[in-house]
């Protein structure tokens, strides 16, 4: 009794109006506030474990503590992905919505060639993913995260894991182009799924005095 | 009655307000009113509560703690022990510091029935009964009266009324927190502190400058024209120097290991406080000096003030503190105070110079000073007595860094041992020594530069270690040369003045007199730490900042030792009081929910808080939920069950190590139940693990054990077997998990699976299948039976969990499907005799005690806890988990109820008990002593009312479906 | 709260880590150990005032078990190493 793939739901209840994008129920809200938070749940999220210093690690080309945008051939097309050195021997690949199966098969294929022990696990649905954008995003995070996020310690492209609001969270500094093409400070926050709503609410609460606002999701969002 | 008149009359608007002073901080263009003790008073913007009231002639602000003597202003700043008030719903506000605001309601604290007529002032007459140790001696026997004593004592205690909520009026949060990572944090913004901050920032450091008062400048603010010029220059420098974050009305609470520095920021919008948790690379303590009160008879009468209090009132707030003054001075600041009073139109009737043998013997008056007796017996009429007899270095932050201050008799104060400070902590300014403004600034500058250097070295070290750098060249300039020389800042000589010829109050907050300290010493409390605790001197709201050195000096005097021999008491955090709200921060409690939580909430689920998880306990009627599962089909959201993805050729070795049972021969497509123990043999967790592929397994754990088991596996792999080829990935919330249980569960599951054959032959008990469910690929299904019924656990990618849940309810409507919660599940498993780790086992329960003998494979090469379990099996004198059948089927003994043997000794306890809807009688699991564990043995249950009831040990743990026919159907 | 310089993540607050315990005797052979040997491994700790080697787990960070040399009297830390000997450039 096969059926259509249903609508996927984020752990974070979408702010009104709820719309469907790329098979996901997301918020259609638009904000131009100087400090914005976006639920980026629809992005594909694939976790990789592989030996340090091995062929798979070399192929991914990103060391622990850093992230990089790469253009990958996936199946019939290309995709821009963000490869994150998330832990020792641990990587996270973020891709456009609905690419997780293709990303996984590309990665599994590469892994098979290396002959190393490699785990490739689709965690698209297993993690929450938020983006915090704005010059004062560091000030907001300083309320909830004890790591020094100053530019010198945590420049664009940095990746680290720490506690944010008490939840183990991958923090990726991933600046975006602002309205006038000037780079704007932005962070991706990636945590275990069931804590997603709590983390989102906690950041909204902490950022209230800084004027943080919810901005809906627009694909591809990477 | 003079007091009554003063309080009761309409305030004389600013009768004591002076004409404009050069350094005043009040804005005369902005006037407003507020309320004190039920009456309206005028104030200017910039006034503190104390200065505004003093400007209107108010002299009494509180009643003292023990004897309820009237108290006025002593220091006119944050520390003032006489001016602690209730402001709106906020207790214990420091009236000498808190700025007056339009409309604020200020009330005195701890005065009953009124400030003017304080019933407890009778204590003053009974003073001899309230000597040191009074509370210890009086309220000790009989113990049965302790609750009464507590009620009596509570009425005599400090403290106002605590607000009922954490929200400030207007709904804004009252409290906040943030982290900070400054290179240099300067505590104190007098001339040296400002100079240090500017110099450090100019050297490239990110600086936080913390000042407890509302503006920068320290003592320069109430100084003469030269001081005010220097003040303006220093403030301009701060404004012009990038890289300095200025926190005024903020105070450093403590310095902890590795320069973890807590700062509380006060007076934010909405009255909020914010705790700043700063990891500081170099801390510069520039806390200045505090003026010390003098001990003599009558030293707490309103109108006796410190010289700094007078200079603040006159020069900052343009308030005339009296009309006729006597000044006792031992230093230039005291001399300057006499000059300030003259310019303020106060008649200085006499200056008593302590440097030339002058002294104050006693002050006279009740609600205010009326006269003073000075050395030689001369009596002078006055309403203001100013003392300027010495300084205390507030060394708290340095002692928190391990520094031991030493008494220096030449300058009559304890001084930090700056040569022995750790490299991350420096000191500058008055706390180090005395000097002109230029000398203080020079010392501060050199200290600030060196602090920046030290911070830079540490920053480089840390950044070299961190992996986040882009590697695109260091953003910082090359390291600077080694330290610049820091000039000397020697203390000026000062006479030693602590107590005069009479006894007076030492601790104004706690109402402890020098006589009390002499008594304590006479009673044997000869060490200052003991005398302090016995008398409670230094233990009140001022926390010793005003009184510690006087306490030490008086204990030294009473014991015939020197001050250096007596030593000081320990300075501990917090340096200043902080609300518990600020320490707690914004209300925040991690909360985990499943994808189906919105449905649960909509359908009346009663929430169960299980760790961070919020789960449905039941939907209104757990018994009928149980019957639905036994008779038809039920579904339960079991998403919190731990799931761990295991990959690699050595996974079986890991499973064999962690579980007590055997894992070598698990076929692909099969699941097995396993139990883990710790190295002491105590049951740690249980769950099923399925083999999805050759080198791919999915382990499940208990909900509460998910994180523990993951860490446990990592620990064994990383520290004992780093050579094993295993990768562990927690995937608990990657899947939403639903258990479909009941005789009709197969029918229901059949309706939602897309490509899985769920027939009994194709999908037997303890099998696992991967496939598409309800249109979603990548689902994992296993057939297990915690409830004792035919059941399937469906794990679906979590974003589709709600979809699956709704689909099951919709598809199962004709089958009578019902959602059930944790409570029904607990009853179901109890009927089936399945244990819950942590409920039916505890921190001492080893595997053989938990009815798991059949599982433990002692012939394996190794597993965690194996030796202990081997010895447990041999010893045979432990407890056993059994099912108990109460003689009275309606009796459900409380969980935790004790079992007693024939000799009235405890022999076990009930671990789980419920009324079974299936059997219509109670069912229990219990731990009993092994010799009583034989089926048919009778044990007694000690009921909570003291009576006993009889129960019999059952043959099986299970009470329903003993053969497991339902499970395997 | 002390700073631990994690070999993977850099300087972090100790709040991010879990303290596992003092490094003591190695795990005895479970087949041959006497009760005395096994319980010494389970329960006996030196509890040194001074330099100790101990195990920590970077729970909120790299999730690696670490060997930390710490002076229990001053909280000074002089080395933090990966307990499993893992390194980036191996």
């Amino acid at each position: 009794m096969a059926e259509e793939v249903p609508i996927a739901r984020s752990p974070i209840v979408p702010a009104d109006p709820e719309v469907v994008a790329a098979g996901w129920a997301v918020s259609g809200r638009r904000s131009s506030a100087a400090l914005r938070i976006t639920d980026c749940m629809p992005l594909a999220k694939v976790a990789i474990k592989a030996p340090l210093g091995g062929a798979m690690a070399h192929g991914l080309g990103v060391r622990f503590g850093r992230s990089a945008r790469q253009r990958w051939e996936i199946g019939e097309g290309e995709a821009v992905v963000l490869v994150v050195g998330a832990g020792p021997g641990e990587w996270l690949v973020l891709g456009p919505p609905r690419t997780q199966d293709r990303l996984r098969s590309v990665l599994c294929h590469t892994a098979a060639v290396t002959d190393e022990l490699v785990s490739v696990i689709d965690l698209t649905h297993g993690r929450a993913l938020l983006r915090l954008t704005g010059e004062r995003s560091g000030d907001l995070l300083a309320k909830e995260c004890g790591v020094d996020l100053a530019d010198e310690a945590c420049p664009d492209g940095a990746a680290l894991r720490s506690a944010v609001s008490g939840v183990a969270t991958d923090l990726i500094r991933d600046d975006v182009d602002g309205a006038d093409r000037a780079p704007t400070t932005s962070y991706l926050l990636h945590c275990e799924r069931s804590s997603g709503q709590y983390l989102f609410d906690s950041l909204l609460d902490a950022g209230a005095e800084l004027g943080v606002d919810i901005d809906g999701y627009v694909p591809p969002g990477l | 009655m003079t007091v009554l008149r003063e309080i009761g009359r309409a305030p004389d608007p600013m009768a004591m307000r002076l004409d404009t002073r050069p350094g005043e901080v009040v804005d005369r263009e902005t006037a407003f009113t507020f309320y004190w003790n039920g009456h309206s008073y005028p104030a200017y913007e910039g006034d503190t509560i104390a200065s505004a009231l003093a400007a209107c002639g108010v002299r009494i602000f509180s009643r003292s703690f023990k004897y309820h003597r009237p108290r006025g202003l002593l220091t006119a700043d944050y520390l003032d022990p006489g001016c602690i008030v209730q402001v709106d719903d906020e207790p214990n506000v420091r009236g000498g510091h808190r700025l007056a605001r339009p409309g604020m309601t200020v009330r005195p604290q701890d005065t009953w029935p009124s400030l003017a007529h304080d019933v407890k002032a009778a204590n003053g007459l009974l003073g001899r009964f309230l000597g040191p140790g009074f509370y210890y001696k009086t309220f000790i026997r009989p113990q049965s009266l302790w609750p009464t004593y507590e009620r009596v004592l509570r009425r005599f205690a400090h403290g106002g009324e605590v607000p009922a909520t954490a929200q400030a009026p207007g709904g804004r949060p009252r409290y906040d927190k943030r982290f900070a990572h400054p290179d240099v944090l300067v505590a104190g913004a007098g001339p040296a502190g400002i100079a240090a901050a500017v110099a450090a920032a100019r050297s490239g450091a990110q600086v936080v400058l913390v000042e407890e008062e509302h503006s920068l400048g320290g003592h320069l603010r109430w100084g003469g024209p030269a001081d005010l010029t220097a003040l303006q220059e220093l403030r301009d420098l701060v404004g012009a120097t990038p890289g300095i974050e200025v926190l005024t009305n903020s105070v450093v609470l403590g310095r902890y290991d590795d320069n973890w520095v807590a700062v509380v920021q006060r007076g934010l919008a909405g009255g909020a406080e914010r705790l700043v948790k700063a990891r500081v690379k170099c801390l510069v303590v520039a806390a200045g000096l505090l003026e010390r009160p003098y001990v003599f008879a009558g030293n707490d009468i309103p109108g006796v003030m410190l010289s700094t209090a007078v200079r603040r009132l006159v020069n900052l707030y343009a308030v005339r503190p009296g009309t006729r003054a006597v000044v006792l001075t031992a230093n230039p600041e005291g001399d300057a105070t006499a000059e300030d009073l003259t310019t303020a139109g106060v008649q200085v009737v006499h200056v008593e110079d302590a440097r030339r043998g002058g002294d104050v013997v006693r002050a006279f008056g009740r609600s205010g000073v009326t006269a003073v007796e000075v050395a030689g017996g001369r009596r002078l009429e006055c309403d203001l007595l100013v003392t300027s007899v010495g300084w205390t270095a507030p060394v708290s932050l340095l002692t928190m860094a391990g520094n031991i201050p030493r008494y220096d008799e030449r300058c009559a104060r304890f001084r930090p041992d700056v040569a022995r400070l750790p490299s991350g902590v420096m000191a500058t300014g008055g706390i180090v020594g005395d000097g002109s403004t230029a000398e203080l600034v020079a010392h501060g500058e050199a200290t600030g530069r060196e602090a920046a250097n030290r911070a830079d070295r540490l920053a480089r070290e840390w950044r070299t270690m961190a992996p986040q750098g882009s590697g695109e060249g260091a953003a910082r300039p090359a390291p600077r040369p080694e330290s610049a020389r820091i000039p000397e800042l020697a203390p000026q000589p000062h006479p030693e003045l602590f107590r005069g010829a009479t006894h007076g109050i030492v601790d104004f907050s706690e109402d402890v007199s020098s006589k009390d300290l002499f008594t304590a010493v006479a009673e044997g409390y000869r060490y200052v730490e003991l005398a302090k605790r016995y008398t409670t001197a230094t233990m009140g709201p001022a926390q010793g900042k005003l009184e510690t050195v006087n306490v030490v000096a008086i204990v030294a005097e009473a014991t015939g030792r020197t001050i250096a021999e007596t030593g000081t008491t320990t300075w501990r955090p917090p340096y200043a009081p902080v609300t518990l709200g600020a320490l707690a921060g914004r209300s925040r409690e991690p909360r985990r929910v499943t994808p189906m939580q919105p449905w649960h909430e909509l359908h009346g689920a009663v929430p169960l808080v299980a760790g961070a998880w919020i789960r449905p306990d039941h939907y209104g009627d757990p018994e009928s939920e149980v019957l639905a599962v036994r008779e038809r089909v039920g579904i339960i959201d079991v998403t919190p069950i731990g799931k761990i993805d295991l990959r690699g050729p050595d996974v079986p070795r890991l499973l064999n190590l962690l579980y007590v049972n055997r894992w070598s021969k698990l076929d692909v497509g099969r699941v097995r139940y396993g139990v883990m123990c710790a190295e002491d043999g105590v049951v740690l967790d249980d769950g099923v693990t399925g083999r999805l592929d050759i080198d791919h397994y999915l382990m499940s754990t208990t909900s509460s054990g998910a994180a523990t088991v993951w860490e446990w596996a990592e620990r064994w792999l990383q520290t004992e077997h780093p050579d094993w080829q295993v990768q562990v990935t927690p995937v608990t919330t990657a899947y939403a998990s639903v258990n479909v249980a009941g005789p009709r569960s197969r029918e229901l599951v059949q309706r939602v699976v897309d490509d899985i054959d769920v027939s009994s032959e194709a999908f037997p008990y303890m099998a696992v299948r991967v496939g598409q469910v309800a249109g979603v690929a990548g689902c994992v299904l296993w057939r297990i039976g915690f409830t004792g019924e035919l059941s399937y656990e469906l794990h679906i990618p979590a974003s589709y969990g709600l979809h699956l849940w709704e689909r099951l309810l919709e598809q199962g409507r004709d089958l009578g499907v019902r959602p059930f919660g944790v409570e029904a599940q607990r009853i179901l498993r109890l009927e089936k005799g399945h244990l819950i780790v942590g409920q039916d086992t505890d921190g001492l329960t080893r595997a053989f005690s938990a009815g798991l003998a059949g599982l433990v494979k002692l012939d394996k090469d190794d597993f965690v806890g194996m030796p202990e379990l081997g010895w447990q099996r041999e010893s045979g004198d432990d407890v056993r988990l059994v099912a108990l059948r109460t003689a009275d089927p309606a009796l459900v003994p409380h969980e935790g109820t004790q079992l007693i043997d024939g000799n009235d000794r405890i022999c076990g306890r009930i671990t789980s008990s419920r009324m079974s809807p299936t059997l219509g009688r109670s069912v229990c699991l219990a731990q009993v002593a092994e010799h009583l564990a034989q089926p048919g043995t009778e044990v007694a249950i000690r009921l909570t009312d003291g009576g006993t009831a009889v129960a019999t040990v059952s043959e099986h743990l299970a009470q329903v479906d003993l053969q497991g026919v339902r499970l395997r159907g | 709260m002390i700073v631990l310089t994690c070999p993977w993540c850099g300087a972090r607050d100790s709040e991010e880590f879990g303290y596992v315990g003092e490094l003591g005797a190695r795990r005895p052979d479970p087949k041959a150990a006497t009760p005395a040997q096994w319980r010494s491994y389970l329960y006996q700790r030196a509890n040194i005032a001074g330099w100790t080697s101990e195990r920590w787990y970077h729970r909120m960070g790299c999730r690696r078990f670490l060997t930390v040399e710490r002076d229990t009297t001053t909280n000074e830390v002089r080395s933090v190493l990966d307990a499993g000997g893992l390194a980036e450039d191996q």
Side-chain angles (χ1 to χ4, degrees), chain C residues 2-37:
Chain C
I2 65 172
V3 170
L4 287 180
T5 46
C6 173
W8 294 104
C9 304
R12 295 288 183 91
D13 295 335
S14 56
E15 198 172 53
E16 289 194 1
F17 300 75
Y19 175 74
V20 179
E22 179 185 289
L23 285 184
R26 287 199 62 81
R27 186 172 188 253
D29 176 355
K31 288 278 192 197
T34 64
Q37 288 168 336

Side-chain angles (χ1 to χ4, degrees), chain B residues 233-432:
Chain B
E233 284 170 7
L234 287 167
R235 285 182 177 170
D236 290 347
L237 268 180
V238 172
T241 309
I244 305 178
E245 182 182 8
V246 177
L247 304 180
T248 51
N249 194 10
S250 301
V251 60
V252 177
L253 297 172
R255 182 271 180 195
Y256 304 85
D257 284 330
D258 289 335
N259 269 354
W260 182 237
V261 174
V263 181
V264 66
Q265 250 183 303
R266 303 185 174 118
L268 304 177
E273 281 182 25
R274 172 182 290 147
L275 187 72
V276 181
K277 301 186 280 185
R279 182 69 75 184
V280 178
K281 295 181 195 78
C282 191
L283 171 67
V284 177
V285 179
L289 291 173
L290 300 174
E291 194 172 15
R292 208 155 55 216
Y294 192 45
V295 180
F296 57 92
N299 66 342
D300 66 329
I301 298 170
V304 179
M305 290 187 205
L306 305 189
S307 75
T308 41
V310 168
R311 299 193 77 192
R312 281 167 185 272
L313 288 172
V314 170
N315 295 330
L316 296 182
Y317 304 106
V319 169
R320 191 148 45 93
T323 51
R324 284 171 57 85
V326 170
V327 178
L328 172 66
T329 174
N331 51 48
E333 287 75 11
D335 305 341
T337 309
E339 288 167 32
D340 283 346
L341 284 170
T342 306
T343 66
V346 177
Q347 189 191 349
V348 179
V349 294
H350 178 71
V351 175
E352 181 80 358
D353 194 331
R355 289 159 295 195
R356 295 188 189 81
D359 198 3
V360 163
V361 178
R362 72 182 76 242
F364 301 94
R366 281 180 67 93
S367 56
V369 174
T370 53
V372 173
E373 180 190 333
V374 296
R378 192 172 156 206
R379 183 177 163 124
L380 301 150
E381 306 285 316
C382 66
D383 62 357
L384 176 65
L385 169 60
V386 186
T387 67
S388 184
V389 298
W391 309 95
T392 295
V395 292
S396 299
L397 293 176
L398 302 175
T399 59
M400 289 174 210
N403 202 248
I404 297 168
R406 292 169 197 286
Y407 183 69
D408 184 343
E409 60 190 20
R410 290 165 305 163
C411 60
R413 64 185 194 240
F414 283 89
R415 295 176 57 218
D417 190 357
V418 289
R420 294 184 185 208
L421 285 168
S423 71
V425 179
M426 304 184 75
T428 186
I431 200 167
V432 175

Side-chain angles (χ1 to χ4, degrees), chain B residues 17-85:
Chain B
R17 187 75 77 177
L18 298 165
D19 291 339
T20 305
R21 305 286 296 179
E24 70 181 24
V25 297
V26 290
D27 172 9
R28 294 176 191 250
E29 303 298 310
T30 313
F32 55 85
T33 58
F34 70 107
Y35 298 91
W36 161 246
N37 214 11
H39 296 274
S40 170
Y41 284 76
Y44 290 137
E45 182 75 29
D47 261 324
T48 62
I49 291 168
S51 74
L53 293 174
C56 295
V58 173
R59 301 196 81 190
I60 299 175
F61 294 83
S62 66
R63 290 282 181 164
S64 73
F65 169 54
K66 228 189 300 178
Y67 305 124
H68 287 255
R69 289 161 62 95
R71 288 279 165 81
L73 296 180
L74 178 70
T75 67
D77 64 1
Y78 188 90
L79 292 177
D80 204 316
C83 191
I84 298 176
V85 294

Side-chain angles (χ1 to χ4, degrees), chain A residues 32-58:
Chain A
S32 55
L35 183 59
R36 303 179 300 282
I37 187 167
T38 300
D39 177 6
C40 292
M41 190 66 191
L43 291 179
K45 316 169 196 77
V46 180
I48 299 139
K49 288 206 163 165
L52 272 175
M56 188 73 190
H58 183 75

Side-chain angles (χ1 to χ4, degrees), chain B residues 657-696:
Chain B
L657 178 68
L658 299 185
Y659 283 122
V660 298
N661 47 329
R662 205 183 306 281
W663 289 84
S664 314
K665 290 178 185 155
L666 183 72
D667 292 334
V668 172
R670 301 294 297 178
V671 299
R672 181 171 295 166
Y673 174 74
V675 168
M676 294 183 193
C677 291
E679 286 280 63
D680 56 4
V682 170
V683 177
L684 183 74
D685 204 79
D686 68 346
V688 300
T689 289
R691 189 173 187 184
L692 305 184
D693 207 337
I694 303 292
D695 288 340
H696 185 191

Side-chain angles (χ1 to χ4, degrees), chain B residues 485-502:
Chain B
R485 204 183 67 82
I486 297 171
E488 280 285 297
L489 197 59
Q492 293 297 307
H494 195 289
E496 292 182 271
L497 293 162
F498 306 102
R499 187 175 79 87
T502 49

